[in-house]
Amino acid sequence: MKLFVYKSLEQLLKTCFIATSLLVVSLWLVIGLVQQWTVANIALTSAGLLLILWLCFSYIYKRTIIAFKRASMHLEAVHNDDYCQYAKPAFSTGKVREFHRDLENLSSHLQLLKSRYDQHIFLVYRLIDQLDSPIMVFDQQPQLTYANGAFNELFPQPWQIFRHSSPELLGLEFVDNNWHFKENLRDNKWQIRHSEFIDQGKTHQLMVFVNIESALRQSQLNAWQQLIRVLGHEINNSLTPVSALAQGLSLKAQGKREKQALTVITERCQHLQDFVSRYASISKPFHLNCQMLSVINIAKRIQGLLKDIPLQVELKTERFWADPAFIEQVLLNIIKNAVEASQPGGKIKLTFSETVNSSLIEVVDSGHGFANLDNLFVPLYSTKQNGQGIGLSFCRNIIEHHKGTIKLVNNDNSPGVTVSITLPLVSQEKQ
């Protein structure tokens, strides 16, 4: 049975041609011998029969192979995701025509599926663009192929500059089945979630960068609020009877020294009560009345309130979106801190500018800077001798209610500190 198993259609056709030719020539020889033809006649007629058989075989072979080649061309177009090209069938009717019709139906079905898939991918990329979290897409290499507008939160340049960059060039590393930033400061701020998807037959990796800084800060703030509430409750419970007792005794005291001592006790109790009340105000909710503010007007008000301070103002934009009362209070606190940190006569520079995605306010002083920047926003922490650690925490609370950020960094090439306040543009705020 293995003799009749053929590995290719060509081999089968050739075998059929040889077998048919031998059968026909053999029959023709038998007829020639029976009819007593001459050897010349038998040879000529046999050659003629073989020629006719060869021509018939060549025609059948060619038409059969052409039918398969056209089908193969159609399948190759499908393989290349081209569903609009159709190969013309070698026969107008019959099984070959039915086979090509099935291929056309398959192409139409795949075209429909591809259209739906492309729509889904388009919607996915549109959704990625609308998200506030930075998102990157890497191909199989892996190289950066796409990122959304929030990419600017990770790097100051547009993502197109980093196109085809590897994760390593972007400061990323894959450790313990998770992506991380190599830089500790960024790694502590961003949590990276990754997944895979297939686009145009290729596997892509999707990285979503989640800013956990606000969540950590909120957790810290909740802890401080709880601590302040407990301390405030206990201190007030202790101070109230002490203050009342001291006031009562001061009325009965006869000696001047005793009265002064009781008065001091009463004043210190009141001071401690005010101290606790001020700390309790750090975390109290408040309502913002944001509006479009004129930079010139805000700068003039600040300069009018701080006439004795050598304040240098630089305006690189005309307007920004904020609550006038709260933003003014924040700027006053920061500028006063800058004055206290600087030498007498030291200049303070206030700059208003605008980036692609936000408004930027910077206050630069020429003071001694900070040895430890990590604890500046921690309540109760202060670098001043008589400081209470309220001002910067209050400022950050206000800026974060504006959906902005505030950062303090020591100047690189000169003494002093730069305070940067980033506020969203009005278009982003209304979204």
Side-chain angles (χ1 to χ4, degrees):
M1 295 297 295
K2 292 184 178 179
L3 296 175
F4 300 99
V5 176
Y6 299 95
K7 296 183 179 179
S8 65
L9 176 64
E10 293 88 341
Q11 185 181 5
L12 175 62
L13 291 175
K14 291 176 182 179
T15 303
C16 291
F17 168 72
I18 294 173
T20 303
S21 300
L22 291 175
L23 179 62
V24 171
V25 171
S26 299
L27 291 174
W28 192 255
L29 289 174
V30 172
I31 293 172
L33 292 174
V34 172
Q35 297 294 330
Q36 296 181 352
W37 292 348
T38 62
V39 175
N41 288 335
I42 293 174
L44 289 173
T45 53
S46 297
L49 284 174
L50 287 174
L51 179 61
I52 294 172
L53 288 172
W54 171 252
L55 293 175
C56 292
F57 169 76
S58 298
Y59 177 76
I60 295 172
Y61 183 86
K62 182 179 179 180
R63 292 296 301 274
T64 303
I65 297 302
I66 286 176
F68 280 96
K69 282 186 176 180
R70 292 186 179 182
S72 178
M73 292 171 60
H74 192 147
L75 291 173
E76 184 178 0
V78 171
H79 178 72
N80 294 325
D81 295 333
D82 185 358
Y83 307 111
C84 297
Q85 290 190 12
Y86 300 104
K88 183 179 180 181
F91 301 93
S92 58
T93 59
K95 292 297 181 181
V96 173
R97 184 67 186 92
E98 291 179 7
F99 178 66
H100 278 269
R101 188 179 295 113
D102 291 338
L103 286 178
E104 292 173 4
N105 293 335
L106 176 62
S107 295
S108 300
H109 179 67
L110 293 176
Q111 175 67 31
L112 178 61
L113 294 179
K114 185 177 184 299
S115 299
R116 292 176 179 175
Y117 178 78
D118 290 342
Q119 290 177 358
H120 293 162
I121 292 295
F122 177 74
L123 291 176
V124 168
Y125 280 100
R126 286 291 302 274
L127 177 62
I128 289 175
D129 283 333
Q130 297 300 319
L131 294 177
D132 295 331
S133 299
I135 297 177
M136 299 185 198
V137 179
F138 291 87
D139 58 15
Q140 291 175 317
Q141 298 301 325
Q143 293 179 346
L144 180 66
T145 58
Y146 189 78
N148 62 349
F151 180 87
N152 289 332
E153 295 186 22
L154 299 174
F155 301 95
Q157 295 89 357
W159 75 268
Q160 289 84 354
I161 297 178
F162 298 91
R163 189 193 295 270
H164 304 310
S165 297
S166 65
E168 288 73 18
L169 290 176
L170 295 172
L172 299 169
E173 60 181 355
F174 194 69
V175 180
D176 297 332
N177 294 324
N178 286 298
W179 286 97
H180 299 275
F181 274 110
K182 296 179 182 178
E183 185 181 350
N184 290 332
L185 184 61
R186 286 187 176 182
D187 192 49
N188 293 332
K189 180 178 180 180
W190 297 98
Q191 183 183 73
I192 305 175
R193 300 173 183 173
H194 69 282
S195 60
E196 293 183 350
F197 69 96
I198 298 176
D199 183 16
Q200 297 181 355
K202 297 181 180 179
T203 302
H204 290 70
Q205 190 156 192
L206 183 73
M207 294 188 192
V208 181
F209 297 78
V210 181
N211 191 338
I212 60 175
E213 190 176 41
S214 58
L216 292 175
R217 187 174 299 142
Q218 184 62 41
S219 177
Q220 293 174 355
L221 180 60
N222 292 336
W224 280 112
Q225 289 174 355
Q226 182 65 23
L227 177 61
I228 291 171
R229 280 194 294 268
V230 173
L231 291 176
H233 178 74
E234 294 299 326
I235 291 174
N236 284 326
N237 285 345
S238 300
L239 290 178
T240 301
V242 171
S243 178
L245 182 61
Q247 290 178 358
L249 291 175
S250 65
L251 296 176
K252 298 178 181 180
Q254 300 297 325
K256 182 178 180 181
R257 186 173 181 180
E258 287 80 2
K259 285 187 177 183
Q260 289 179 346
L262 292 171
T263 302
V264 170
I265 292 174
T266 303
E267 291 177 353
R268 296 311 299 171
C269 288
Q270 185 63 42
H271 174 77
L272 284 174
Q273 288 176 333
D274 294 341
F275 177 80
V276 173
S277 299
R278 283 195 296 271
Y279 270 109
S281 66
I282 295 177
S283 57
K284 285 184 178 179
F286 49 84
H287 176 71
L288 296 180
N289 182 24
C290 291
Q291 53 190 277
M292 188 62 72
L293 304 178
S294 170
V295 171
I296 296 178
N297 293 339
I298 292 293
K300 287 182 178 179
R301 279 191 57 82
I302 296 296
Q303 287 177 315
L305 294 171
L306 303 173
K307 294 181 180 180
D308 299 331
I309 296 176
L311 183 63
Q312 178 184 352
V313 180
E314 185 175 354
L315 308 180
K316 298 181 180 179
T317 185
E318 297 180 356
R319 298 175 179 274
F320 67 99
W321 184 258
D323 182 288
F326 281 112
I327 200 66
E328 184 177 298
Q329 185 62 45
V330 168
L331 292 177
L332 289 174
N333 286 346
I334 293 174
I335 293 173
K336 287 181 179 179
N337 286 343
V339 172
E340 293 174 0
S342 302
Q343 298 294 330
K347 291 186 178 180
I348 311 298
K349 184 177 181 181
L350 174 63
T351 304
F352 294 87
S353 61
E354 188 174 298
T355 64
V356 177
N357 299 313
S358 59
S359 299
L360 179 63
I361 305 174
E362 291 182 316
V363 177
V364 183
D365 64 56
S366 56
H368 48 71
F370 291 104
N372 184 4
L373 293 169
D374 296 333
N375 298 323
L376 291 179
F377 294 103
V378 176
L380 307 177
Y381 177 84
S382 177
T383 57
K384 303 175 186 177
Q385 184 176 0
N386 297 319
Q388 298 175 351
I390 299 177
L392 288 178
S393 299
F394 179 72
C395 291
R396 185 175 68 175
N397 195 17
I398 290 176
I399 297 301
E400 289 185 347
H401 273 73
H402 282 79
K403 298 181 181 178
T405 59
I406 179 171
K407 295 181 180 179
L408 282 78
V409 295
N410 290 319
N411 298 331
D412 292 332
N413 301 321
S414 61
V417 172
T418 297
V419 182
S420 301
I421 299 174
T422 302
L423 298 172
L425 298 176
V426 59
S427 58
Q428 297 175 327
E429 179 70 20
K430 289 185 176 180
Q431 289 175 359

